[in-house]
Amino acid sequence: MPPTITKEACLLDRIRVTPSAEATQNACKLCAPLGAALVFKGIQGAVPLLHGSQGCSTYIRRYLISHYKEPIDIACSNFSEHSAIFGGGANLKLALENVRHQYAPSLVGIATTCLSETIGDDVAMFIKEYRRSKTGQTLPPIVHVSTPSYQGSHMEGFHRAVWATVSALAGDERRGDARRVNLFPGMLSPADIRHLKQMTAAFGLEAVVLPDYSETLDGGLWKDYQRVPEGGTPVDAIAAAGAAEASIELGGSLAMARETAASFLQQRFAVRPFRLGMPIGIRQTDVLIQSLAEISGRPVPGCYAEQRGRLLDTLVDGHKYVNTVRAALYGEEDLVAGMAGFLAEIGIHPVVCASGGRSMHLAEAIRAQIPASWHAETAILEDADFTAIETAVDTARPDLIIGHSKGYAMSRRLGIPLVRIGFPIHDRMGGSRLLHVGYEGAMALFDRLANTLIERRQDASPIGYTYM
Ligand code: SF4
């Protein structure tokens, strides 16, 4: 039976309208090891290794390659029926040995799959045994993150991998470095990461960004194939994360989580945490800029006043196209919460906000971003699949749908235009180059939203306006 949402439920009981269903239909999330693999792809010289069957790594590679348009090497311990019954220890040790010799990695990041989690493989013990068998040899750091997909989405895998890497590598280095800041950006595009690095540099800060796949997944042309693309966060820099002046962690839902990389560094090394929302739109970008000014002790560079001014001028110029528009929004929780705030400040009401994630912080993060007068008219769906989302969107009949490519079929069926943001974008070019953050990201998003609305009005007009 497909999950159903009654009109009354959608209009009156706004929070958690997703009813229980026997099966997920077209999930609005991807699997947890995918998020972890993405984090390891953002560490210099690192190789992700999935402990499980080849199908899992193929599925993950397929999604990452179709979005980033780059070759993505992800190793696998290649489970067979034998390993499923007797355990995957021997496979994992062999995989580690192969990865070491074929890639000479600076770090191996092991993420477990559903199968290895279900049979209860003790990965930490396998790693210890492997290390013991190589006594006297120099091994790269091996980071292990538990990522059963039946307990979490790709976002949870992503955040867990960041936490696992920092807690495994950050040393007991208490020397404060006033110019260094740890930046945990969350799952943003390579263009976003580059923009955030420019922002921290503009304040004279050296950012250790984890993960930083701005080059590894968005690099230039190669003459010869590179097994591990250049770029990424140096392992040494992560090891020194405890010596930074502060940690900036982005994501409205993540900011409510108990155990994160920033909270670990605060507890272990007293590194000041700045746990902020996604800097999408004016308010949240202002918060990030103010935080950078506070950490660096420097005034805000003039270029940001100029960018902010251009953004305000853009909003004034185009307000007539977006004002009173209603939108449906779905994707990763942090992105949805950040986008909801941005839509609210430009006058678009996000009447449906949905995510396949289940941190259970989404509703609170969205309520903090939108006017109180909209709370009763905003359906928030957590742990939702596309069947539930489509029912809610069909009930609300918004003017726009905003989310990743997995919502295309819904947009086509309902006849409502889709503006693509986030991950995965596999039916358009430029997913890696989409800018969401900062004043410039807000301007780019605003233009895309307004132009989509203008195009829709033109297409719907019997006389086909050429001047609007
Ligand atoms: S079995 Fe689990 S880990 Fe493997 S692809 Fe499916 S959801 Fe991901």
Side-chain angles (χ1 to χ4, degrees):
M1 278 283 289
T4 53
I5 299 175
T6 63
K7 189 165 184 178
E8 289 69 29
C10 219
L11 291 175
L12 301 175
D13 177 16
R14 297 286 157 179
I15 308 303
R16 300 238 48 233
V17 296
T18 313
S20 61
E22 284 171 19
T24 298
Q25 297 181 66
N26 194 9
C28 183
K29 60 183 175 185
L30 297 153
C31 80
L34 182 148
L38 190 53
V39 171
F40 296 133
K41 291 303 288 183
I43 297 174
Q44 191 176 65
V47 173
L49 166 55
L50 294 198
H51 184 44
S53 64
Q54 277 200 347
C56 301
S57 56
T58 304
Y59 160 83
I60 289 170
R61 278 198 298 264
R62 172 225 182 244
Y63 264 106
L64 294 176
I65 290 169
S66 64
H67 177 88
Y68 293 106
K69 321 279 190 227
E70 297 284 353
I72 311 261
D73 281 23
I74 295 178
C76 174
S77 59
N78 194 15
F79 265 43
S80 62
E81 293 90 335
H82 186 276
S83 21
I85 295 166
F86 298 107
N91 284 46
L92 184 63
K93 290 167 199 167
L94 181 59
L96 278 168
E97 197 63 0
N98 286 339
V99 167
R100 257 185 79 208
H101 288 117
Q102 289 178 26
Y103 291 85
S106 60
L107 178 145
V108 182
I110 301 176
T112 46
T113 65
C114 299
L115 181 54
S116 56
E117 287 284 342
T118 303
I119 65 172
D121 264 358
D122 189 342
V123 174
M125 186 187 74
F126 297 156
I127 296 170
K128 256 189 215 158
E129 288 174 353
Y130 177 74
R131 284 188 184 289
R132 211 177 297 131
S133 73
K134 302 292 162 194
T135 306
Q137 298 182 29
T138 306
L139 299 181
I142 301 171
V143 173
H144 161 223
V145 56
S146 170
T147 45
S149 266
Y150 45 81
Q151 278 182 2
S153 69
H154 60 296
M155 272 323 296
E156 279 153 277
F158 184 101
H159 293 317
R160 267 186 233 154
V162 173
W163 173 86
T165 305
V166 169
S167 52
L169 297 187
D172 193 16
E173 195 177 345
R174 291 171 195 280
R175 175 182 51 83
D177 184 339
R179 297 257 66 84
R180 197 175 335 146
V181 64
N182 304 312
L183 176 57
F184 304 116
M187 197 169 154
L188 288 168
S189 73
D192 287 324
I193 294 175
R194 282 193 289 272
H195 195 69
L196 291 170
K197 287 201 291 191
Q198 283 167 6
M199 287 173 93
T200 46
F203 283 87
L205 295 168
E206 181 198 337
V208 175
V209 184
L210 183 66
D212 179 3
Y213 42 77
S214 59
E215 290 173 66
T216 56
L217 296 182
D218 196 22
L221 268 183
W222 303 330
K223 271 191 175 162
D224 299 307
Y225 181 69
Q226 294 179 23
R227 290 189 148 201
V228 182
E230 284 178 12
T233 326
V235 171
D236 290 353
I238 305 169
E245 172 68 14
S247 298
I248 300 176
E249 192 165 64
L250 303 179
S253 298
L254 186 65
M256 294 175 207
R258 237 165 22 110
E259 203 169 48
T260 67
S263 70
F264 170 83
L265 291 169
Q266 179 190 19
Q267 286 156 20
R268 182 69 68 86
F269 304 109
V271 180
R272 274 198 301 163
F274 287 74
R275 302 177 71 187
L276 315 176
M278 280 287 170
I280 301 176
I282 298 174
R283 280 194 209 98
Q284 291 299 320
T285 302
D286 285 352
V287 172
L288 175 60
I289 292 274
Q290 282 155 14
S291 301
L292 290 170
E294 184 184 334
I295 294 165
S296 65
R298 291 192 182 184
V300 177
C303 62
Y304 292 110
E306 289 167 17
Q307 288 177 17
R308 196 176 190 278
R310 277 195 291 274
L311 170 59
L312 288 172
D313 185 47
T314 303
L315 302 188
V316 171
D317 293 344
H319 77 279
K320 62 180 179 179
Y321 301 117
V322 297
N323 198 24
T324 71
V325 162
R326 299 160 75 252
L329 187 55
Y330 62 84
E332 286 113 32
E333 292 154 294
D334 291 331
L335 189 65
V336 167
M339 274 301 291
F342 171 57
L343 294 181
E345 67 190 21
I346 63 174
I348 296 183
H349 182 169
V351 287
V352 176
C353 298
S355 178
R358 54 179 178 190
S359 74
M360 298 305 151
H361 298 310
L362 181 64
E364 198 179 335
I366 287 174
R367 283 205 208 98
Q369 296 287 327
I370 64 174
S373 58
W374 286 3
H375 288 185
E377 294 296 324
T378 305
I380 301 174
L381 284 72
E382 301 190 54
D383 195 15
D385 64 11
F386 269 106
T387 302
I389 295 171
E390 187 165 336
T391 307
V393 175
D394 198 16
T395 306
R397 297 304 306 177
D399 306 286
L400 271 183
I401 299 176
I402 303 167
H404 50 71
S405 293
K406 279 172 68 98
Y408 168 67
M410 166 177 71
S411 141
R412 186 180 164 96
R413 269 191 297 271
L414 298 180
I416 302 172
L418 172 65
V419 174
R420 287 162 180 79
I421 60 162
F423 173 95
I425 295 178
H426 42 55
D427 62 344
R428 288 289 186 279
M429 286 297 295
S432 302
R433 298 188 295 279
L434 274 186
L435 188 62
H436 306 84
V437 302
Y439 303 125
E440 295 199 331
M443 244 182 302
L445 285 172
F446 183 85
D447 287 346
R448 290 177 64 216
L449 294 168
N451 286 335
T452 304
L453 291 161
I454 292 169
E455 188 178 336
R456 185 166 169 79
R457 277 169 59 183
Q458 278 181 319
D459 290 349
S461 160
I463 50 172
Y465 291 105
T466 55
Y467 188 86
M468 294 188 71

